[in-house]
C-alpha cells in the first residue's frame, strides 16, 4: 500500500474495499474522489452514514431496515395483513416495492439456507415467520426467493415449516423475463417456461 | 427508487452512487452490505470518513492530502529537494510511491488542462509549481502525467511555463509495459517503444 497516503486514508481505503463492487484499486479511486469533493461528497457521506448507524433499525416484525419500528410497511394499515411475501434481503423487498405489484406485508429472512456456508434455520428469521403465520391472520405466504439452489432449498424448507396452519404457500412464477429473447435464455428457464405454459 | 427504504437510506444510496465505480444498483447493494454489517463496516466507515474529513488537509507545498502540513513527503529530509515529480492526482503519487523508484519530492496538479471541460491553468496548482521552481533549489522537473491528449497538452504547457529557470524538464519513458505482450499493445505504444529502442 502507499505509505505516503497516511494511516487515516489507508484505513478509509481498506474499509471502502470491503463494499461489494469495490476492490482495492477502485476503493483507492473512491477515496481520492472523496478527498477531492469534501463538501459535496466526503462530509455528506460521513454524516449520512452516522445518521444511518444511529437511526436505522430492523423492523421487529418483518426485519426491514427502517428508521421506525414497526417499519413503514408493517405499520401501513392499507396493506393486506393476510398476505406475507418472504424475501432474502431488503434489496429484494425494495425491488418488489419498485414493481408496485405487491400490496401485502413482507418478511425479510436475512439470508438463505446454505449447507456450504453452514447457514442453518436458526441463523435466519424463520422462527419469526412461523410465529407470524401461527398468529392466524395470514392467508397466503408468497416465497419470493432467488431461483438458485440455496434459494429453492430454503423455499422447500419454509414451505414445510409453514404448512399445516391453514395457509397457502406460493412462489413467484418462473418463465421468460419480459423482453427476454429465447436465444439468450438458459435451458432451465425455457424448460420452466414451457412447463408453465398457458393459453395465449 | 424504493419508497420503503426510507429517506435516510435513499440518501445514503444516492451518495454512494456518486463514488467512482459504483452505480445506482451497486450503491444499493453497498448500502445493504453496510446495513447488514453495522459493527464491522457501517460504524467504522462512518468514523473513518468523519476522521478523514476532520484531519486530512492538502499539503500547502505539494498538494498531497495528508494529516500533516507540510505532508510527510515534503517534510522528509532524506528526499531530494532538487527533484520534483509532477502528477495529476494523489492517486498517481501513491502509485509512484508503491514503485519505490522515486526519492524526490512531488507536486500534485489537481487535474489536467482540458479544453473540453474548460479546465484552465488557474484551476490547477500551476502557479505553485512555477513558484517552487523559481525558488532555485530545483534541478529537474519530472512530468509523470498520463499518456492521454489532456495529459500531453498539460505536459507541454508545463514544460513551457517551467523552462528558462535553469531546470531540466523530463517526462516518464513510453514503451512496452513489463509483462506486456505485443499482441495486446495498441499501435501507439508500439510506435513509441520502437522510436525509443535501445541497445539490448
Amino acid at each position: 500500500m502507499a505509505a505516503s497516503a497516511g494511516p487515516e486514508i489507508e484505513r478509509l481505503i481498506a474499509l471502502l474495499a470491503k463494499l461489494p463492487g469495490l476492490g482495492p484499486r477502485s476503493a483507492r479511486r473512491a477515496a481520492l474522489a472523496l478527498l477531492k469533493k469534501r463538501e459535496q461528497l466526503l462530509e455528506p457521506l460521513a454524516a449520512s452514514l452516522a445518521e444511518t448507524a444511529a437511526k436505522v433499525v430492523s423492523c421487529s416484525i418483518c426485519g426491514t431496515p427502517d428508521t421506525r419500528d414497526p417499519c413503514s410497511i408493517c405499520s401501513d394499515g392499507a396493506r393486506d395483513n393476510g398476505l406475507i411475501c418472504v424475501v432474502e434481503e431488503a434489496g429484494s423487498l425494495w425491488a418488489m416495492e419498485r414493481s408496485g405489484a405487491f400490496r401485502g406485508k413482507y418478511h425479510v429472512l436475512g439470508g438463505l439456507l446454505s449447507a456450504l456456508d453452514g447457514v442453518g434455520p436458526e441463523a435466519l428469521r424463520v422462527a419469526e415467520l412461523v410465529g407470524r403465520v401461527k398468529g392466524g391472520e395470514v392467508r397466503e405466504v408468497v416465497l419470493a426467493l432467488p431461483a438458485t439452489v440455496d434459494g429453492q432449498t430454503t423455499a422447500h424448507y419454509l414451505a414445510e415449516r409453514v404448512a399445516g396452519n391453514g395457509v397457502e404457500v406460493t412462489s413467484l412464477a418462473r418463465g421468460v423475463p419480459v423482453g427476454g429473447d429465447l436465444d439468450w435464455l438458459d435451458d432451465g428457464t425455457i424448460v420452466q417456461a414451457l412447463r408453465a405454459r398457458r393459453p395465449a
Side-chain angles (χ1 to χ4, degrees), chain A:
Chain A
M1 304 297 266
S4 65
E8 293 79 6
I9 299 178
E10 284 304 326
R11 181 150 167 283
L12 174 61
I13 292 170
L15 284 164
L16 287 170
K18 289 185 186 171
L19 292 175
L22 284 184
R25 279 177 166 282
S26 42
R28 208 165 274 283
R29 274 213 319 284
L32 208 55
L34 286 162
L35 289 166
K36 275 200 84 175
K37 305 184 188 160
R38 300 180 79 93
E39 289 70 20
Q40 312 94 296
L41 201 49
L42 176 54
E43 284 151 19
L45 184 57
S48 167
L49 283 165
E51 189 184 24
T52 307
K55 285 194 190 170
V56 174
V57 295
S58 44
C59 172
S60 53
I61 301 176
C62 71
T64 308
D66 199 343
T67 44
R68 26 194 305 210
D69 182 15
C71 70
S72 40
I73 296 181
C74 285
S75 45
D76 179 348
R79 283 171 166 269
D80 182 352
N81 281 322
L83 205 56
I84 292 186
C85 177
V86 179
V87 292
E88 176 188 2
E89 292 294 354
S92 323
L93 182 153
W94 296 339
M96 288 288 287
E97 283 301 292
R98 285 197 294 279
S99 80
F102 185 72
R103 297 304 300 160
K105 304 291 177 83
Y106 290 94
H107 191 84
V108 180
L109 280 179
L112 295 173
L113 294 177
S114 168
L116 280 175
D117 309 340
V119 180
E122 66 293 334
L124 307 176
R125 302 185 64 258
V126 173
E128 291 85 339
L129 175 62
V130 175
R132 289 177 74 180
V133 170
K134 288 194 189 299
E137 209 182 347
V138 182
R139 298 186 319 276
E140 178 180 351
V141 172
V142 183
L143 301 174
L145 299 171
T148 60
V149 173
D150 286 350
Q152 292 318 292
T153 313
T154 311
H156 285 118
Y157 174 80
L158 290 179
E160 277 182 10
R161 285 293 302 272
V162 167
N165 293 292
V167 194
E168 187 183 4
V169 181
T170 61
S171 67
L172 293 186
R174 310 241 169 278
V176 182
V178 175
D181 181 339
L182 288 191
D183 290 0
W184 298 97
L185 277 179
D186 60 294
D187 303 350
T189 306
I190 294 179
V191 170
Q192 302 245 28
L194 192 59
R195 286 215 194 102
R197 65 188 179 280
R198 48 172 66 178

Coordinates of all heavy atoms in Angstrom, one line a residue, chain A residues 65-131:
Chain A
P65 N -34.9 -2.9 7.3 CA -34.2 -1.8 7.9 C -35.0 -0.5 7.7 O -35.4 -0.2 6.5 CB -32.9 -1.7 7.2 CG -33.1 -2.4 5.9 CD -34.1 -3.5 6.1
D66 N -35.3 0.2 8.7 CA -36.1 1.4 8.6 C -35.8 2.3 9.9 O -35.2 1.8 10.8 CB -37.6 1.1 8.5 CG -38.4 2.3 8.0 OD1 -37.9 3.4 8.0 OD2 -39.5 2.0 7.6
T67 N -36.2 3.5 9.8 CA -36.0 4.4 11.0 C -37.1 4.2 12.0 O -37.0 4.7 13.1 CB -35.9 5.9 10.6 OG1 -37.0 6.1 9.7 CG2 -34.6 6.2 9.9
R68 N -38.2 3.6 11.6 CA -39.3 3.3 12.6 C -39.5 1.9 12.8 O -39.1 1.0 12.0 CB -40.6 4.0 12.1 CG -40.7 4.2 10.6 CD -41.8 5.1 10.3 NE -43.1 4.7 10.9 CZ -44.3 5.0 10.3 NH1 -44.3 5.6 9.1 NH2 -45.4 4.7 10.9
D69 N -39.9 1.5 14.0 CA -40.2 0.1 14.3 C -41.5 0.0 15.0 O -41.7 0.6 16.1 CB -39.1 -0.4 15.3 CG -39.3 -1.9 15.6 OD1 -40.2 -2.5 14.9 OD2 -38.7 -2.4 16.5
P70 N -42.6 -0.6 14.5 CA -42.6 -1.3 13.2 C -42.3 -0.4 12.0 O -42.6 0.8 12.1 CB -44.0 -1.9 13.1 CG -44.6 -1.7 14.5 CD -43.9 -0.7 15.2
C71 N -41.8 -1.0 10.9 CA -41.4 -0.2 9.8 C -42.6 0.4 9.1 O -43.8 0.0 9.4 CB -40.6 -1.1 8.8 SG -41.7 -2.3 8.0
S72 N -42.4 1.3 8.1 CA -43.4 2.0 7.4 C -44.4 1.0 6.7 O -45.6 1.3 6.6 CB -42.9 3.0 6.4 OG -41.8 2.4 5.8
I73 N -43.9 -0.1 6.3 CA -44.7 -1.1 5.6 C -45.6 -1.8 6.6 O -46.8 -1.9 6.4 CB -43.9 -2.1 4.8 CG1 -43.1 -1.4 3.6 CG2 -44.8 -3.2 4.2 CD1 -42.3 -2.3 2.8
C74 N -45.0 -2.3 7.7 CA -45.7 -3.1 8.7 C -46.8 -2.2 9.3 O -47.9 -2.7 9.7 CB -44.8 -3.7 9.7 SG -43.9 -5.1 9.1
S75 N -46.5 -0.9 9.4 CA -47.5 0.0 10.1 C -48.4 0.6 9.1 O -49.2 1.5 9.5 CB -46.8 1.0 10.9 OG -45.7 1.6 10.2
D76 N -48.4 0.1 7.8 CA -49.3 0.7 6.8 C -50.6 0.0 6.8 O -50.7 -1.2 6.4 CB -48.6 0.6 5.4 CG -49.5 1.2 4.3 OD1 -50.7 1.4 4.6 OD2 -49.0 1.3 3.2
G77 N -51.7 0.6 7.3 CA -53.0 0.0 7.5 C -53.6 -0.4 6.2 O -54.5 -1.3 6.1
A78 N -53.2 0.2 5.1 CA -53.8 0.0 3.8 C -53.3 -1.3 3.2 O -53.8 -1.8 2.2 CB -53.5 1.1 2.8
R79 N -52.3 -1.9 3.8 CA -51.7 -3.2 3.2 C -52.4 -4.4 3.8 O -52.8 -4.4 5.0 CB -50.2 -3.2 3.4 CG -49.5 -2.3 2.5 CD -48.0 -2.2 2.9 NE -47.2 -1.6 1.8 CZ -46.6 -2.3 0.9 NH1 -46.7 -3.6 0.8 NH2 -45.9 -1.7 0.0
D80 N -52.4 -5.5 3.0 CA -53.1 -6.7 3.4 C -52.3 -7.5 4.4 O -51.3 -8.1 4.0 CB -53.4 -7.5 2.1 CG -54.2 -8.8 2.4 OD1 -54.4 -9.1 3.6 OD2 -54.6 -9.4 1.4
N81 N -52.8 -7.7 5.6 CA -52.1 -8.4 6.6 C -52.2 -9.9 6.3 O -51.4 -10.7 6.9 CB -52.7 -8.2 8.0 CG -52.2 -6.8 8.6 OD1 -51.0 -6.5 8.4 ND2 -53.0 -6.1 9.2
G82 N -53.1 -10.4 5.5 CA -53.3 -11.8 5.2 C -52.2 -12.3 4.2 O -52.2 -13.5 3.9
L83 N -51.4 -11.4 3.7 CA -50.5 -11.8 2.6 C -49.1 -11.4 3.0 O -48.8 -10.3 3.3 CB -50.9 -11.0 1.3 CG -50.5 -11.5 0.0 CD1 -51.1 -12.9 -0.3 CD2 -51.1 -10.6 -1.1
I84 N -48.2 -12.4 3.1 CA -46.8 -12.2 3.5 C -45.9 -12.6 2.4 O -45.9 -13.8 1.9 CB -46.5 -12.9 4.8 CG1 -47.2 -12.3 6.0 CG2 -44.9 -12.8 5.1 CD1 -46.8 -12.9 7.3
C85 N -45.0 -11.7 1.9 CA -44.1 -12.0 0.9 C -42.7 -12.2 1.6 O -42.2 -11.3 2.2 CB -44.0 -10.9 -0.1 SG -42.7 -11.2 -1.4
V86 N -42.1 -13.4 1.4 CA -40.9 -13.8 2.1 C -39.7 -13.5 1.1 O -39.7 -14.0 0.0 CB -40.8 -15.2 2.5 CG1 -39.5 -15.6 3.2 CG2 -42.0 -15.5 3.5
V87 N -38.8 -12.6 1.5 CA -37.7 -12.3 0.7 C -36.3 -12.5 1.4 O -36.3 -12.6 2.6 CB -37.7 -10.8 0.2 CG1 -38.8 -10.5 -0.7 CG2 -37.7 -9.9 1.5
E88 N -35.3 -12.7 0.6 CA -34.0 -13.0 1.2 C -33.4 -11.8 2.0 O -33.0 -11.9 3.1 CB -33.0 -13.4 0.1 CG -31.6 -13.6 0.6 CD -30.6 -13.8 -0.6 OE1 -31.0 -13.7 -1.7 OE2 -29.4 -14.1 -0.3
E89 N -33.4 -10.6 1.2 CA -32.8 -9.4 1.8 C -33.7 -8.2 1.5 O -34.6 -8.3 0.7 CB -31.5 -9.1 1.1 CG -30.4 -10.2 1.5 CD -30.0 -10.1 2.9 OE1 -30.5 -9.2 3.7 OE2 -29.2 -11.0 3.3
A90 N -33.4 -7.1 2.2 CA -34.2 -5.9 2.0 C -34.1 -5.5 0.5 O -35.0 -4.9 0.0 CB -33.6 -4.8 2.9
G91 N -33.0 -5.8 -0.1 CA -32.8 -5.4 -1.6 C -33.9 -6.0 -2.4 O -34.5 -5.3 -3.3
S92 N -34.3 -7.3 -2.1 CA -35.4 -7.9 -2.9 C -36.7 -7.2 -2.6 O -37.5 -7.0 -3.5 CB -35.5 -9.4 -2.5 OG -34.2 -10.0 -2.3
L93 N -36.8 -6.8 -1.3 CA -38.1 -6.1 -0.9 C -38.2 -4.8 -1.7 O -39.2 -4.5 -2.2 CB -38.0 -5.9 0.6 CG -39.2 -5.2 1.3 CD1 -39.2 -5.6 2.8 CD2 -39.1 -3.7 1.2
W94 N -37.1 -4.1 -1.7 CA -37.1 -2.8 -2.5 C -37.5 -3.0 -3.9 O -38.2 -2.3 -4.5 CB -35.7 -2.1 -2.4 CG -35.4 -1.7 -1.0 CD1 -36.2 -1.5 0.1 CD2 -34.1 -1.5 -0.4 NE1 -35.5 -1.2 1.2 CE2 -34.2 -1.1 0.9 CE3 -32.8 -1.5 -1.0 CZ2 -33.1 -0.8 1.7 CZ3 -31.7 -1.2 -0.2 CH2 -31.9 -0.8 1.2
A95 N -37.0 -4.1 -4.5 CA -37.3 -4.4 -5.9 C -38.8 -4.7 -6.1 O -39.4 -4.2 -7.0 CB -36.5 -5.6 -6.4
M96 N -39.3 -5.5 -5.1 CA -40.8 -5.8 -5.2 C -41.6 -4.5 -5.1 O -42.5 -4.3 -5.8 CB -41.1 -6.7 -4.0 CG -40.7 -8.1 -4.1 SD -41.6 -9.1 -5.3 CE -43.2 -9.3 -4.5
E97 N -41.1 -3.6 -4.2 CA -41.8 -2.3 -4.0 C -41.8 -1.5 -5.2 O -42.7 -0.8 -5.6 CB -41.2 -1.6 -2.8 CG -41.7 -2.1 -1.4 CD -43.2 -2.1 -1.3 OE1 -43.7 -1.0 -1.2 OE2 -43.8 -3.2 -1.3
R98 N -40.6 -1.5 -5.9 CA -40.5 -0.7 -7.1 C -41.5 -1.2 -8.2 O -42.1 -0.4 -8.9 CB -39.0 -0.7 -7.7 CG -38.1 0.1 -6.9 CD -36.8 0.3 -7.7 NE -36.0 -0.9 -7.9 CZ -35.2 -1.5 -7.0 NH1 -35.1 -0.9 -5.9 NH2 -34.6 -2.6 -7.3
S99 N -41.7 -2.5 -8.2 CA -42.6 -3.1 -9.1 C -44.0 -2.6 -8.8 O -44.9 -2.5 -9.7 CB -42.6 -4.6 -9.1 OG -43.4 -5.1 -8.0
G100 N -44.3 -2.3 -7.6 CA -45.6 -1.8 -7.2 C -46.7 -2.8 -7.3 O -47.9 -2.5 -7.2
A101 N -46.3 -4.1 -7.5 CA -47.3 -5.1 -7.8 C -47.8 -5.8 -6.5 O -48.9 -6.5 -6.5 CB -46.7 -6.2 -8.7
F102 N -47.1 -5.6 -5.4 CA -47.5 -6.3 -4.1 C -48.0 -5.4 -3.1 O -47.4 -4.3 -2.8 CB -46.2 -7.1 -3.6 CG -46.5 -7.9 -2.4 CD1 -47.2 -9.1 -2.5 CD2 -46.1 -7.5 -1.2 CE1 -47.5 -9.9 -1.4 CE2 -46.3 -8.3 0.0 CZ -47.0 -9.5 -0.2
R103 N -49.2 -5.7 -2.5 CA -49.8 -4.8 -1.5 C -49.9 -5.4 -0.2 O -50.7 -5.0 0.7 CB -51.2 -4.3 -2.0 CG -51.1 -3.5 -3.3 CD -50.2 -2.3 -3.2 NE -50.6 -1.4 -2.1 CZ -49.8 -0.5 -1.6 NH1 -48.6 -0.4 -1.9 NH2 -50.3 0.3 -0.6
G104 N -49.2 -6.5 0.0 CA -49.3 -7.2 1.3 C -48.1 -6.8 2.2 O -47.6 -5.7 2.0
K105 N -47.8 -7.6 3.2 CA -46.7 -7.3 4.1 C -45.5 -8.2 3.7 O -45.6 -9.1 2.8 CB -47.1 -7.6 5.5 CG -48.3 -6.8 6.0 CD -48.0 -5.4 6.1 CE -49.2 -4.5 6.5 NZ -49.5 -4.5 8.0
Y106 N -44.3 -7.9 4.3 CA -43.1 -8.7 3.9 C -42.5 -9.4 5.1 O -42.9 -9.2 6.3 CB -42.0 -7.7 3.4 CG -42.3 -7.1 2.0 CD1 -42.9 -5.9 1.9 CD2 -42.0 -7.8 0.9 CE1 -43.2 -5.4 0.7 CE2 -42.2 -7.3 -0.4 CZ -42.9 -6.1 -0.4 OH -43.1 -5.5 -1.7
H107 N -41.6 -10.4 4.8 CA -40.8 -11.0 5.9 C -39.4 -11.2 5.3 O -39.2 -11.9 4.3 CB -41.4 -12.3 6.3 CG -40.7 -12.8 7.6 ND1 -41.1 -12.4 8.8 CD2 -39.7 -13.7 7.8 CE1 -40.4 -13.0 9.7 NE2 -39.5 -13.8 9.1
V108 N -38.4 -10.4 5.9 CA -37.0 -10.5 5.4 C -36.3 -11.6 6.2 O -36.1 -11.5 7.4 CB -36.3 -9.1 5.6 CG1 -34.9 -9.2 5.1 CG2 -37.1 -8.0 4.9
L109 N -35.8 -12.6 5.5 CA -35.2 -13.8 6.1 C -33.8 -13.4 6.6 O -33.3 -13.9 7.7 CB -35.0 -14.9 5.1 CG -36.2 -15.8 4.9 CD1 -35.8 -16.9 3.8 CD2 -36.7 -16.4 6.2
G110 N -33.1 -12.5 5.9 CA -31.8 -12.1 6.3 C -30.7 -13.1 5.7 O -29.6 -13.1 6.2
G111 N -31.1 -13.9 4.7 CA -30.2 -14.8 4.1 C -30.9 -16.0 3.5 O -32.1 -16.0 3.5
L112 N -30.1 -17.0 3.1 CA -30.7 -18.3 2.6 C -30.0 -19.4 3.3 O -28.9 -19.3 3.8 CB -30.4 -18.4 1.1 CG -31.1 -17.4 0.2 CD1 -30.6 -17.6 -1.2 CD2 -32.6 -17.5 0.3
L113 N -30.7 -20.5 3.5 CA -30.1 -21.8 4.0 C -29.0 -22.1 3.1 O -29.1 -22.0 1.8 CB -31.1 -22.9 4.0 CG -32.3 -22.8 5.0 CD1 -33.2 -24.0 4.9 CD2 -31.8 -22.6 6.4
S114 N -27.8 -22.5 3.6 CA -26.7 -22.9 2.8 C -25.8 -23.9 3.5 O -25.2 -23.6 4.5 CB -25.8 -21.7 2.4 OG -24.6 -22.1 1.8
A115 N -25.8 -25.1 3.0 CA -25.0 -26.2 3.6 C -23.5 -25.8 3.5 O -22.8 -26.0 4.4 CB -25.3 -27.5 2.9
L116 N -23.2 -25.3 2.3 CA -21.8 -24.9 2.1 C -21.3 -23.9 3.1 O -20.2 -24.0 3.7 CB -21.6 -24.4 0.7 CG -21.5 -25.4 -0.4 CD1 -21.4 -24.8 -1.8 CD2 -20.3 -26.3 -0.2
D117 N -22.0 -22.8 3.2 CA -21.6 -21.7 4.2 C -22.1 -22.0 5.6 O -21.9 -21.2 6.5 CB -22.2 -20.4 3.7 CG -21.9 -20.1 2.2 OD1 -20.9 -20.8 1.7 OD2 -22.6 -19.3 1.6
G118 N -22.7 -23.2 5.8 CA -23.1 -23.5 7.2 C -24.1 -22.6 7.7 O -24.1 -22.3 8.9
V119 N -25.1 -22.2 6.9 CA -26.2 -21.3 7.4 C -27.4 -22.1 7.6 O -28.0 -22.7 6.7 CB -26.5 -20.2 6.3 CG1 -27.6 -19.3 6.9 CG2 -25.3 -19.4 6.0
G120 N -27.8 -22.3 8.9 CA -28.9 -23.1 9.3 C -30.1 -22.2 9.6 O -30.0 -21.0 9.6
P121 N -31.3 -22.8 9.8 CA -32.5 -22.0 10.0 C -32.4 -21.1 11.2 O -33.0 -20.0 11.1 CB -33.6 -23.1 10.4 CG -33.0 -24.4 9.8 CD -31.5 -24.3 9.8
E122 N -31.6 -21.5 12.2 CA -31.5 -20.6 13.4 C -30.8 -19.3 13.1 O -31.0 -18.3 13.7 CB -30.8 -21.3 14.5 CG -29.3 -21.6 14.3 CD -29.2 -22.6 13.2 OE1 -30.1 -23.5 12.9 OE2 -28.1 -22.6 12.5
A123 N -30.0 -19.3 11.9 CA -29.3 -18.1 11.6 C -30.2 -17.1 10.8 O -29.9 -15.9 10.6 CB -28.1 -18.4 10.7
L124 N -31.4 -17.6 10.4 CA -32.3 -16.8 9.6 C -33.6 -16.5 10.5 O -33.8 -17.1 11.5 CB -32.8 -17.5 8.3 CG -31.6 -18.1 7.4 CD1 -32.2 -18.9 6.3 CD2 -30.8 -16.9 7.0
R125 N -34.4 -15.6 10.0 CA -35.6 -15.2 10.7 C -36.8 -16.1 10.4 O -37.9 -15.7 10.0 CB -36.0 -13.7 10.5 CG -34.8 -12.8 10.8 CD -35.1 -11.3 10.7 NE -36.1 -10.9 11.6 CZ -37.4 -10.7 11.3 NH1 -37.8 -10.9 10.1 NH2 -38.2 -10.2 12.2
V126 N -36.5 -17.5 10.6 CA -37.5 -18.5 10.3 C -38.5 -18.6 11.4 O -39.8 -18.5 11.1 CB -36.9 -19.8 10.0 CG1 -37.9 -20.9 9.8 CG2 -36.0 -19.8 8.8
A127 N -38.0 -18.6 12.6 CA -39.0 -18.8 13.8 C -40.0 -17.6 13.8 O -41.2 -17.8 14.0 CB -38.2 -18.8 15.1
E128 N -39.5 -16.4 13.5 CA -40.3 -15.2 13.5 C -41.4 -15.4 12.4 O -42.6 -15.1 12.6 CB -39.5 -14.0 13.1 CG -38.6 -13.5 14.3 CD -37.2 -14.2 14.2 OE1 -37.1 -15.3 13.6 OE2 -36.3 -13.7 14.8
L129 N -41.0 -16.0 11.2 CA -42.0 -16.2 10.2 C -43.1 -17.2 10.6 O -44.3 -16.9 10.5 CB -41.3 -16.7 8.9 CG -42.3 -17.1 7.8 CD1 -43.0 -15.9 7.2 CD2 -41.5 -17.7 6.6
V130 N -42.7 -18.3 11.2 CA -43.6 -19.3 11.7 C -44.5 -18.7 12.7 O -45.8 -18.8 12.7 CB -42.9 -20.5 12.3 CG1 -43.9 -21.5 12.9 CG2 -42.0 -21.2 11.2
G131 N -43.9 -17.9 13.6 CA -44.7 -17.2 14.6 C -45.8 -16.3 14.0 O -47.0 -16.4 14.4

